[in-house]
Amino acid sequence: MAANAGMVAGSRNRNEFVVLRNDGEGAPKPAKNADSQVCQICGDTVGLTPSGDVFVACNECAFPVCRPCYEYERKDGNQSCPQCKTRYKRHKGSPRVDGDEDEEDGDDIDNEFNYRQGAGKTVNQQWQAGDADLSSSSRHDGHRIPRLTSGQQMSGEIPDASPDRHSIRSQSSSYVDPSMPVPVRIVDPSKDLNSYGLTTVDWKERVESWKNRQDKSIIQMTNKYPGATEGRVGGDMEGTGSNGEDLQMADDARLPLSRIVPIPSNQLNLYRIVIVLRFIILCFFFQYRITHPVPDAYGLWLTSVICEIWFALSWLLDQFPKWHPINRETYIDRLALRYDRDGEPSQLAPIDVFVSTVDPLKEPPLITANTVLSILSVDYPVDKVSCYVSDDGSAMLTFESLSETAEFARKWVPFCKKHNIEPRAPEFYFAQKIDYLKDKIQPSFVKERRAMKREYEEFKVRINALVAKAQKVPEEGWTMSDGTPWPGNNPRDHPGMIQVFLGHSGGLDTEGNELPRLVYVSREKRPGFQHHKKAGAMNALIRVSAVLTNGAYLLNVDCDHYFNSSKALKEAMCFMMDPAYGRKTCYVQFPQRFDGIDLHDRYANRNIVFFDINMKGLDGIQGPVYVGTGCCFNRQALYGYDPVLTEADLEPNIVVKSCCGGRKKKNRDKAYIDSKNRAMKRTESSVPIFNMEDMEEGADGYEDERTLLMSQRSLEKRFGQSPIFIASTFMAQGGIPPSTNPASLLKEAIHVISCGYEDKTEWGKEIGWIYGSVTEDILTGFKMHARGWISVYCMPTRPAFKGSAPINLSDRLNQVLRWALGSVEILLSRHCPIWYGYKGGRLKLLERLAYINTIVYPITSIPLIAYCVLPAICLLTGKFIIPEISNYAGMWFILLFASIFATGLLELRWSGVGIEDWWRNEQFWVIGGTSAHLFAVFQGLLKVLAGIDTNFTVTSKASDEDGDFAELYVFKWTSLLIPPTTVLVINLVGIVAGVSYAINSGYQSWGPLFGKLFFSIWVILHLYPFLKGLLGRQNRTPTIVIVWAILLASIFSLLWVRIDPFTSPSQKAAAMGQCGVNC
C-alpha cells in the first residue's frame, strides 16, 4: 500500500465511507491499491467487498482488519475493535451474535441470506471479481475457494506467503449488496488521531498467540497427512489444491465429535400414528368392556377388566418414552485430531476403570483376568488409564490371580498393540473361528501368535491351579508367600487392603514400554457396620481412585464384561470431551452384549428389545437409564454437582409450554440468570453445592471462592475427613492436586476405604452410588437426571463390551428376581420417581414416565398371573369374561389386535430388531411376571414393612466348559418355578375339560369354546420356553415340581367346586328341591 494512499473507514449502519487524506489535498480521492492494505491481526491483505471497495471493519477508527478476522472477533473474541475498543457493528450479511439485538438500526433479514447475483455471474464469480489477490487457478467457475474452520476463522497467514504472492482466504458465506450507494465522509488528519483510535495495538500479544496456535494446527495436520504439501514448490502455492487440503484438515479438527442420526421420518411418523390410533382404539374398547358386564360371571368379568386397565396403563408408561428414538455416530478420527496428535503430548482426559468382583468361585478368576487384560491393552494413552479391581470378598484367590494377570500382561499388551488385534481378551480372541491371517502383513505374526497362545495356555494352567487349591480352605486360614496370614481370611472382619501391581514407575512390558496402572482394592469390613454391598464397594473405589490417580472420568464394568473393542474409551470421550455435550453429560451408557447364549436365546438373555428399542427412545429425551455396567461417568456428576446448563436446556418441556404458554424474552433471560444463581445449591438437599462452571480453573484458582462458599467443616461433613480427597474433588479436569505429597497417598487411600469413613456424610445419599436398593444403578442414574444432567447412549458398530449371562432357567429367574426386588425397594422409598425430583423441574416428563415404568413393572405380576388363570377357570366353569358380542363390538376387538401387531412390527422396522428376539422378549415377560416379579413384590413388602432382608445372590458366571450349552439343561430347584408351573398345569387341565365338555354337548358348544381356547393357548405358548426348561434335555421333570404343581392345582380346583361362586342361591335351592331328603 502506498504511503500516500490514505486510510479508509466506513460504517454499514451509517451507510457512509471515510477517506483520510493528507494535508494539502483539497478534495477526496478514491482509494487506490487499497487491496494491498495489510490486516493488523493475521498479516493477510484486508481485501475488497464485492463492489470493489476496501473492506472496513470499524467505522470509528478504520483500523485495518480483514473480513475473516472481523468475523472471528465478533463470534469468538471480545466483539470490539482492537484499536478504539468500539464494539463492532454488524455488517450486512454477517451472522448474528449476542448483542446485535441492542443495535438501534433495522435488520436486513431479506438480504442476509439472499445474495444478489449479477447477470451472467455466479456468487462465486462475484467474490472472485472483487478480490484481486486470488490466484489465477481459482478464477474459474469450477473452482471454489476452500472453506476455513466451521464457525471459527483461522489466520490466512501461511508460511512463505506474502501480500506479493497469492493469498488464500475463505469463501465468505456473507456478501454486501454492491448496488447500495456508499457516501464518503472526509476526516481531517490534522486533528488528534487518538480520537479516531489510530494508536498502537494493545492486544497484539493475544492475537499473535492465537495465530501461532492456528499455524501450529495446520503444520501438525500437514505432518499427519504428508499429501497435503504436494502442491507447494519452492515455498510457493501451486493453485489452491494443497492449501485446500490443509484447511480441510483444520476443519476436521473442529467438527463435532459425534452426531445424531435421526430415524427416517417415513418410518417414525407412521409408527407414531399407529400409537395414537391404538390409544384411541383402547378408549373405545374399554368403553365397551365397562358398559357390557357379564351378569352370570360378574366376578370373572370384573377381574378381567381391572387387569386389562392395568395392562393399558403399563403400555402407556412403556410406549410414550419411545416417542422420539434416535441413533448416534461418533468420529474417533476427529477426536485424535483435536486431542491426540502424533508427536505431541496427548490431551485426552484420564480415565479410571473399575472392575467389581465378590466371590471368585461364582465369578471365575480366569474371566476376571480376561477383563483386566482387555482393559490394560485398550487403545488409549497408557498414562491416562488406571484399572482398579474391587475384591469385596477379600479372597486370596482373587489377589493371587491378579498377580499372575499382571505378569502375563507384560507379554500380552505389546502383542495386542503391535498387531492391532480384536478383541483383546485372550480367551475370546483365541476362541474365534476366523482366519487370523487375514489383513495381517507382519511376517512374524504367525510365529508370535502361536507363541502367545502357548503363553496363555500356561497362564490358564496357573490360574486353574490356584482355583483348585482354593477349593479346600486350611483350618488356620490362608498364608501369604512370606508366611504372614492373609489379612482377608475373615471376609466380614478384615482391614482395608491395597496393592499396586502395575504403575508408571515399574510397570513396563517386555518391550520396555509403560503399562497402565493396575490396583487391587479390598475395602475394610467390620461387624456392626452397614457395607451396602456393590454400591458401597463402588463408592470406596471412587475415593481410592481420587486419591491415587483422580481420573476426570470413571468407567465401571462387571468382572465378566470385557472390552470387546479397544476403542471403547475413545468412543465415550467423543461425548464426554465434546464442547457441546461434555459439560452436561453425566454418563455414556453402552449396550450390553453377551457371549455364550444359545442360538435361539430361550430365556431372552440378550434383552435385545430393551437395549435396541427402549434405550434408543430414552436417548431422544434425556438419556438412557444406567444399567450397572459398561458405563462411563463424569466424576463431577458422581460428586453431586449440578451440570452447566444453557438457556435452551432450561426451557420448559412441551407439557408446561402447552399449559402455560410461551414466555417473553425478558422473563426467559431472568429465569436463566436465576437458574445460574441457584446452580450453587443442591437440587434436593439443604447442603450447598458448587457449579461445575466455577470449578474449571482447578483448586488453585478456586481456593478463595471455595472458602467463601463452604467451610472446611461442611466439606468434611459432605465428603468425609480426608483433606487429600476433598482437594481432589475440585480438580474438574482430573489429576492429583499439586500440593499433594506422593508418599502419603497410599496411607490416605487406606483411610478413605475404612468402614467408618462414610458415617455422617453424604455418601450414598447425594454422592456416588446411591444406597437403598439392590439395583443401585437405576437409583444412581435417576438422581443425576433429576439434577438436570443428560446421559448418552453409544452403540458403536463393533460392540464395546461383551459379557456372560446365566443361560440356566433358575439362575436367570434369580437374576430377574434381584432386578425386580430393587425396583420394588425404590418404589417404596423416598426416591420414588412418582413423587421425587419435582423441585427445579429438570427431569423431563417422558423421562420420568420411563423411570416410573422401571419401578412399577413388578406389580404387573399380580394382574398378569390372574389373567393367565382366567382362561382355565372359564374352561372349567363354562363361563366367559366377555358377553356375546355384536358385529360392532367385534370390530373393536379386531382393530385392537391389529394395532398391537402393527405397533410391534413398526418397532422392529425402525430398530432393526428381529421378530424372533421380539417374540422371546414377549415370552419371558410372561415367564418372569408369573414367577420372579411376583416374589419380588412380596419380598419387597416384607423388607420395607417388616424389616426382613433378603440375601444378595451373586449371579453365577461360570463358563460353559462342557460345550453344547450344557448349563442350559441343568435343573436347579428354586421356589420361583412353582407359580408358572401351576399356571401351566391349570391351563392344560382346563383345555382338556373344555374340549371334553364340547364333545359331549354337541356342535353348538364349539363356538363359545373357541374364545376360551384361544386365551388358554395364548398362555401356554408364552410359557413354552419355561416348559422346555422343566423337561430338560432328557425330557424329565423333577418329582418335586410335579408334586407341587399337582397339589396346588388340586387344592384350587376343589376349592372352586366347593365354593361354586357362579351358581346363585335360588338355583341351588331349585336343584335341592328336585330331589328332597326322601329321594
Side-chain angles (χ1 to χ4, degrees):
M1 185 175 182
N4 59 354
M7 182 176 290
V8 295
S11 171
R12 180 193 67 84
N13 295 327
R14 298 179 184 178
N15 199 22
E16 58 188 16
F17 190 75
V18 180
V19 176
L20 294 176
R21 58 180 173 83
N22 294 324
D23 291 326
E25 292 182 344
K29 296 181 180 180
K32 295 181 180 180
N33 298 327
D35 55 341
S36 63
Q37 188 176 7
V38 178
C39 173
Q40 295 299 306
I41 297 180
C42 66
D44 205 348
T45 55
V46 172
L48 304 178
T49 63
S51 62
D53 299 322
V54 177
F55 173 77
V56 180
C58 177
N59 66 295
E60 297 295 333
C61 68
F63 186 76
V65 176
C66 64
R67 185 64 176 256
C69 293
Y70 160 81
E71 298 289 359
Y72 171 81
E73 281 302 315
R74 277 175 47 82
K75 183 178 184 298
D76 297 317
N78 52 21
Q79 300 183 357
S80 62
C81 174
Q83 183 76 6
C84 63
K85 305 304 180 184
T86 303
R87 188 183 188 278
Y88 276 138
K89 298 295 184 180
R90 175 172 166 265
H91 287 224
K92 181 176 292 186
S94 296
R96 287 186 173 275
V97 297
D98 294 338
D100 286 344
E101 294 81 3
D102 299 331
E103 296 181 11
E104 298 177 356
D105 43 292
D107 293 328
D108 60 329
I109 301 300
D110 296 335
N111 298 322
E112 183 172 0
F113 299 105
N114 288 327
Y115 311 123
R116 297 182 57 182
Q117 302 180 8
K121 285 187 178 182
T122 63
V123 176
N124 190 29
Q125 289 172 324
Q126 279 193 359
W127 178 254
Q128 291 170 350
D131 191 348
D133 288 334
L134 295 178
S135 63
S136 59
S137 65
S138 64
R139 296 181 183 271
H140 303 285
D141 294 346
H143 294 277
R144 288 186 176 271
I145 304 173
R147 187 179 298 275
L148 287 176
T149 58
S150 55
Q152 294 182 355
Q153 297 296 341
M154 288 181 58
S155 170
E157 184 178 351
I158 301 176
D160 299 328
S162 66
D164 297 331
R165 294 182 180 147
H166 302 304
S167 62
I168 307 300
R169 283 187 292 275
S170 65
Q171 179 180 351
S172 175
S173 61
S174 306
Y175 300 90
V176 180
D177 193 343
S179 65
M180 298 297 292
V182 182
V184 177
R185 177 168 61 92
I186 305 300
V187 177
D188 189 356
S190 62
K191 295 182 179 181
D192 185 9
L193 295 184
N194 288 332
S195 60
Y196 297 102
L198 302 178
T199 58
T200 59
V201 184
D202 59 351
W203 65 314
K204 191 70 173 177
E205 293 183 0
R206 185 172 69 87
V207 175
E208 289 298 331
S209 64
W210 174 74
K211 287 168 50 182
N212 293 335
R213 288 197 304 270
Q214 303 301 330
D215 294 340
K216 187 178 181 180
S217 175
I218 293 180
I219 293 172
Q220 173 62 37
M221 284 177 283
T222 302
N223 295 333
K224 191 174 183 67
Y225 301 95
T229 60
E230 292 176 357
R232 299 182 181 180
V233 179
D236 291 332
M237 302 293 294
E238 294 279 335
T240 61
S242 62
N243 188 55
E245 294 181 12
D246 285 344
L247 299 177
Q248 180 61 42
M249 286 180 285
D251 280 341
D252 291 341
R254 288 162 177 79
L255 290 173
L257 301 179
S258 64
R259 75 181 183 101
I260 294 177
V261 183
I263 306 295
S265 57
N266 60 340
Q267 300 179 10
L268 196 56
N269 291 337
L270 181 60
Y271 174 65
R272 292 169 176 170
I273 291 173
V274 172
I275 291 175
V276 174
L277 291 177
R278 181 176 174 180
F279 179 75
I280 296 173
I281 293 171
L282 268 177
C283 294
F284 282 99
F285 171 79
F286 282 117
Q287 186 270 339
Y288 171 80
R289 290 285 281 133
I290 295 174
T291 56
H292 292 77
V294 182
D296 60 340
Y298 189 82
L300 294 177
W301 168 82
L302 183 61
T303 302
S304 65
V305 170
I306 293 175
C307 294
E308 290 164 0
I309 291 175
W310 181 264
F311 295 152
L313 293 176
S314 299
W315 172 75
L316 291 176
L317 291 176
D318 179 70
Q319 188 67 65
F320 281 103
K322 296 183 284 189
W323 184 261
H324 190 265
I326 62 172
N327 294 314
R328 295 184 188 268
E329 280 185 357
T330 56
Y331 301 101
I332 298 180
D333 53 344
R334 297 177 185 175
L335 181 75
L337 284 175
R338 186 177 297 186
Y339 298 109
D340 194 25
R341 298 171 181 169
D342 292 338
E344 292 185 3
S346 175
Q347 301 299 319
L348 291 172
I351 303 176
D352 296 333
V353 184
F354 296 167
V355 181
S356 57
T357 180
V358 180
D359 187 354
L361 298 181
K362 290 187 176 181
E363 300 167 329
L366 189 60
I367 293 180
T368 305
N370 273 269
T371 300
V372 172
L373 289 170
S374 67
I375 296 171
L376 297 179
S377 57
V378 73
D379 183 12
Y380 206 79
V382 293
D383 59 327
K384 305 285 186 177
V385 180
S386 301
C387 177
Y388 292 84
V389 179
S390 170
D391 178 18
D392 217 32
S394 66
M396 189 173 178
L397 173 59
T398 302
F399 178 85
E400 290 187 343
S401 63
L402 204 60
S403 177
E404 292 286 350
T405 303
E407 290 300 319
F408 180 71
R410 301 177 191 271
K411 305 173 185 177
W412 173 253
V413 173
F415 171 77
C416 294
K417 294 187 176 181
K418 179 179 179 180
H419 300 290
N420 195 26
I421 65 170
E422 296 285 359
R424 299 188 177 180
E427 180 71 23
F428 302 95
Y429 169 70
F430 291 120
Q432 293 180 112
K433 294 180 175 61
I434 61 174
D435 183 9
Y436 61 85
L437 298 178
K438 185 178 180 181
D439 300 329
K440 300 301 179 183
I441 60 176
Q442 294 90 341
S444 62
F445 172 70
V446 176
K447 181 179 179 180
E448 292 182 10
R449 184 185 186 276
R450 291 172 180 171
M452 184 54 61
K453 189 171 184 180
R454 287 194 298 269
E455 293 283 353
Y456 178 64
E457 293 297 334
E458 294 175 1
F459 169 73
K460 288 175 63 176
V461 170
R462 294 193 297 269
I463 295 295
N464 291 332
L466 292 175
V467 174
K469 180 181 178 182
Q471 299 297 323
K472 186 177 181 180
V473 182
E475 295 182 0
E476 65 278 5
W478 298 107
T479 57
M480 304 179 71
S481 57
D482 58 356
T484 58
W486 169 247
N489 277 321
N490 187 347
R492 297 177 181 173
D493 186 5
H494 65 84
M497 296 178 285
I498 297 177
Q499 174 67 52
V500 180
F501 285 108
L502 297 175
H504 298 301
S505 59
L508 301 179
D509 60 25
T510 54
E511 297 182 359
N513 300 317
E514 290 183 354
L515 291 171
R517 288 186 179 91
L518 176 60
V519 184
Y520 169 88
V521 179
S522 182
R523 57 178 174 151
E524 181 186 17
K525 287 188 176 182
R526 301 297 182 190
F529 288 89
Q530 179 61 261
H531 302 293
H532 303 289
K533 300 174 182 176
K534 180 181 177 180
M538 299 306 295
N539 285 337
L541 285 184
I542 292 178
R543 298 190 293 271
V544 168
S545 62
V547 170
L548 297 181
T549 54
N550 196 33
Y553 303 102
L554 312 174
L555 190 144
N556 85 290
V557 291
D558 289 340
C559 65
D560 63 320
H561 274 71
Y562 65 91
F563 278 62
N564 185 62
S565 171
S566 61
K567 300 185 183 298
L569 296 182
K570 291 184 177 180
E571 295 277 358
M573 290 302 103
C574 285
F575 299 103
M576 287 299 191
M577 300 187 70
D578 191 290
Y581 285 100
R583 303 176 73 186
K584 56 184 179 181
T585 301
C586 56
Y587 59 81
V588 177
Q589 178 65 61
F590 292 87
Q592 292 186 20
R593 299 293 186 246
F594 300 97
D595 288 318
I597 305 297
D598 57 295
L599 181 61
H600 299 288
D601 192 13
R602 179 186 292 181
Y603 304 124
N605 285 280
R606 293 191 178 96
N607 279 334
I608 294 294
V609 173
F610 174 76
F611 286 112
D612 288 16
I613 297 181
N614 295 64
M615 296 288 268
K616 286 183 180 180
L618 293 178
D619 199 19
I621 307 172
Q622 197 174 346
V625 298
Y626 169 43
V627 298
T629 183
C631 186
C632 183
F633 283 94
N634 187 331
R635 188 183 283 268
Q636 300 300 321
L638 285 171
Y639 287 158
Y641 294 119
D642 286 347
V644 179
L645 299 178
T646 63
E647 184 176 357
D649 298 324
L650 296 171
E651 286 285 344
N653 57 48
I654 188 172
V655 176
V656 176
K657 281 186 176 180
S658 61
C659 297
C660 304
R663 298 180 298 175
K664 295 183 179 180
K665 184 178 184 301
K666 291 183 178 180
N667 294 334
R668 184 171 68 251
D669 293 342
K670 183 177 184 300
Y672 176 57
I673 295 173
D674 293 342
S675 177
K676 289 188 68 177
N677 293 335
R678 291 195 303 268
M680 306 300 296
K681 300 180 181 179
R682 177 174 300 282
T683 304
E684 288 287 341
S685 174
S686 60
V687 180
I689 188 166
F690 297 112
N691 192 321
M692 281 179 57
E693 192 174 21
D694 302 323
M695 296 171 51
E696 293 182 344
E697 299 300 328
D700 294 338
Y702 198 82
E703 185 68 30
D704 295 337
E705 188 174 357
R706 182 188 66 176
T707 304
L708 293 174
L709 293 176
M710 185 180 290
S711 65
Q712 181 68 22
R713 183 176 180 182
S714 58
L715 280 170
E716 292 180 352
K717 182 178 179 181
R718 178 174 173 78
F719 293 110
Q721 297 182 358
S722 173
I724 295 179
F725 174 75
I726 292 175
S728 70
T729 62
F730 296 100
M731 307 292 291
Q733 302 303 321
I736 303 299
S739 59
T740 304
N741 181 13
S744 62
L745 291 182
L746 280 178
K747 182 178 180 181
E748 192 69 17
I750 290 292
H751 169 60
V752 297
I753 62 173
S754 60
C755 55
Y757 181 84
E758 296 181 355
D759 290 349
K760 300 180 181 179
T761 65
E762 294 292 325
W763 285 101
K765 302 173 184 175
E766 302 292 338
I767 303 175
W769 271 257
I770 306 302
Y771 302 151
S773 172
V774 295
T775 53
E776 69 290 330
D777 44 9
I778 294 177
L779 197 54
T780 302
F782 171 67
K783 292 277 286 187
M784 294 180 184
H785 283 138
R787 294 191 185 104
W789 291 91
I790 67 170
S791 57
V792 173
Y793 194 52
C794 181
M795 290 185 63
T797 304
R798 181 180 179 87
F801 306 94
K802 279 191 175 182
S804 59
I807 62 175
N808 179 267
L809 176 61
S810 299
D811 291 338
R812 174 69 167 141
L813 290 178
N814 277 296
Q815 182 186 55
V816 174
L817 171 63
R818 186 175 71 251
W819 294 344
L821 178 60
S823 296
V824 174
E825 290 173 347
I826 299 174
L827 176 63
L828 301 177
S829 70
R830 72 180 187 92
H831 292 117
C832 178
I834 298 176
W835 51 73
Y836 180 85
Y838 287 97
K839 186 177 180 180
R842 295 182 177 180
L843 184 65
K844 295 184 179 180
L845 176 62
L846 292 181
E847 191 79 11
R848 183 180 296 277
L849 290 180
Y851 273 108
I852 292 175
N853 184 51
T854 59
I855 65 166
V856 301
Y857 77 89
I859 301 179
T860 307
S861 61
I862 298 176
L864 178 62
I865 198 168
Y867 207 73
C868 289
V869 173
L870 281 177
I873 296 177
C874 293
L875 288 169
L876 290 172
T877 60
K879 312 294 182 180
F880 199 40
I881 57 176
I882 301 174
E884 186 175 348
I885 59 177
S886 61
N887 293 334
Y888 172 77
M891 178 189 68
W892 292 114
F893 278 87
I894 294 174
L895 288 176
L896 178 61
F897 283 106
S899 65
I900 292 174
F901 285 111
T903 305
L905 291 176
L906 290 174
E907 278 188 354
L908 302 183
R909 183 185 177 191
W910 63 255
S911 66
V913 175
I915 191 169
E916 183 178 10
D917 293 316
W918 176 82
W919 174 239
R920 286 287 181 260
N921 181 78
E922 294 294 314
Q923 287 180 314
F924 198 78
W925 176 73
V926 176
I927 295 173
T930 55
S931 57
H933 298 172
L934 183 66
F935 276 71
V937 172
F938 292 105
Q939 287 187 13
L941 291 174
L942 288 174
K943 181 176 181 179
V944 174
L945 301 179
I948 302 176
D949 199 357
T950 55
N951 293 327
F952 177 78
T953 304
V954 179
T955 304
S956 177
K957 300 175 177 64
S959 58
D960 189 18
E961 298 179 353
D962 296 335
D964 297 330
F965 308 106
E967 186 71 15
L968 179 67
Y969 307 102
V970 175
F971 181 84
K972 301 177 182 179
W973 165 250
T974 173
S975 56
L976 297 175
L977 302 175
I978 296 176
T981 305
T982 303
V983 172
L984 263 176
V985 172
I986 291 178
N987 277 276
L988 290 173
V989 171
I991 290 176
V992 173
V995 172
S996 301
Y997 175 79
I999 293 175
N1000 294 331
S1001 300
Y1003 175 79
Q1004 67 277 4
S1005 62
W1006 285 98
L1009 179 66
F1010 177 77
K1012 305 172 188 177
L1013 286 176
F1014 174 80
F1015 285 109
S1016 189
I1017 294 174
W1018 176 87
V1019 173
I1020 294 175
L1021 287 178
H1022 279 76
L1023 292 175
Y1024 178 70
F1026 177 83
L1027 180 61
K1028 290 183 66 176
L1030 289 182
L1031 297 178
R1033 175 179 290 178
Q1034 294 80 18
N1035 294 331
R1036 295 178 57 188
T1037 302
T1039 306
I1040 185 66
V1041 176
I1042 298 175
V1043 171
W1044 271 103
I1046 294 177
L1047 179 62
L1048 290 177
S1050 302
I1051 291 175
F1052 285 123
S1053 300
L1054 292 174
L1055 286 175
W1056 189 268
V1057 173
R1058 179 66 181 87
I1059 297 174
D1060 198 8
F1062 297 107
T1063 303
S1064 63
S1066 59
Q1067 293 175 337
K1068 292 181 180 180
M1072 292 290 294
Q1074 292 177 1
C1075 184
V1077 293
N1078 296 323
C1079 287

